[in-house]
Amino acid sequence: GLILDLRGNAGGDNEGMKELLGLFLIDDRGIFTVCGKDGVIAHRVKPFFRGPIVVIVDHNSASAAELCAAVLKEQLRDRVTVVGETTKKAVEMGKSVAVAGNCELWITSGTIETALHDKLEGGGVAPNFVVGLSAQNIADGNDTQLTAAREALQMLLREGK
């Protein structure tokens, strides 16, 4: 089994995310679709790892990291469990344009949705098991989310996933 920790991952690299997903998906099904000025582009990958996976996410998991968690949860639901907090809800493609006064304006250039047409922008990825992590937990050396992920992985392994 595998624990994939995407906490605090701001994402951003769709090519890297596609390569990562290619290690896990079972067939060549589409993983996500980009809808923008260049039309609709479906991205596909090929598999490698077929064991159980637990993905840890938090409120700072965004963009490609968020999409990665969503695709794994959606397409491998029988052997993937997501643990932690709802993700950042920030997935749309865009670009930053400099404006007066050292400010930037973010312009959306396309939307991204999963193969089952789930749009994550504004909604995020909800974990199967919601587990918070407080500053006190961290100070005490008690990573409650990692502990929950280990327990979820043991459960998947016992079930033969």
Side-chain angles (χ1 to χ4, degrees):
L2 175 75
I3 296 175
L4 180 61
D5 191 344
L6 298 177
R7 294 177 291 180
N9 186 322
D13 182 6
N14 282 344
E15 291 304 314
M17 187 254 325
K18 287 187 290 187
E19 289 180 27
L20 177 66
L21 286 172
L23 298 174
F24 308 122
L25 297 181
I26 296 203
D27 58 30
D28 284 345
R29 73 183 104 183
I31 58 168
F32 66 92
T33 302
V34 177
C35 304
K37 66 179 182 165
D38 296 326
V40 176
I41 304 164
H43 295 274
R44 299 186 177 279
V45 294
K46 295 185 178 189
F48 176 73
F49 180 80
R50 297 176 196 263
I53 304 166
V54 176
V55 182
I56 310 174
V57 295
D58 67 5
H59 60 279
N60 288 317
S61 303
S63 189
E66 194 167 7
L67 184 57
C68 181
V71 168
L72 291 171
K73 182 180 179 186
E74 177 181 282
Q75 294 197 15
L76 302 177
R77 59 190 163 274
D78 62 328
R79 63 186 182 98
V80 170
T81 298
V82 178
V83 172
E85 303 165 326
T86 300
T87 60
K88 193 166 190 120
K89 310 171 190 173
V91 181
E92 289 187 343
M93 296 172 47
K95 65 179 182 175
S96 177
V97 177
V99 293
N102 288 330
C103 295
E104 293 184 9
L105 175 66
W106 182 261
I107 300 173
T108 300
S109 61
T111 60
I112 298 177
E113 58 184 45
T114 66
L116 296 179
H117 308 291
D118 186 12
K119 294 181 181 175
L120 302 172
E121 185 72 23
V125 178
N128 300 92
F129 298 105
V130 177
V131 180
L133 182 63
S134 69
Q136 188 62 50
N137 292 138
I138 295 168
D140 293 342
N142 179 20
D143 189 335
T144 53
Q145 293 171 335
L146 181 57
T147 299
R150 288 180 178 142
E151 291 170 0
L153 184 58
Q154 288 300 320
M155 182 177 66
L156 287 170
L157 289 167
R158 281 192 300 273
E159 293 172 358
K161 302 290 182 175

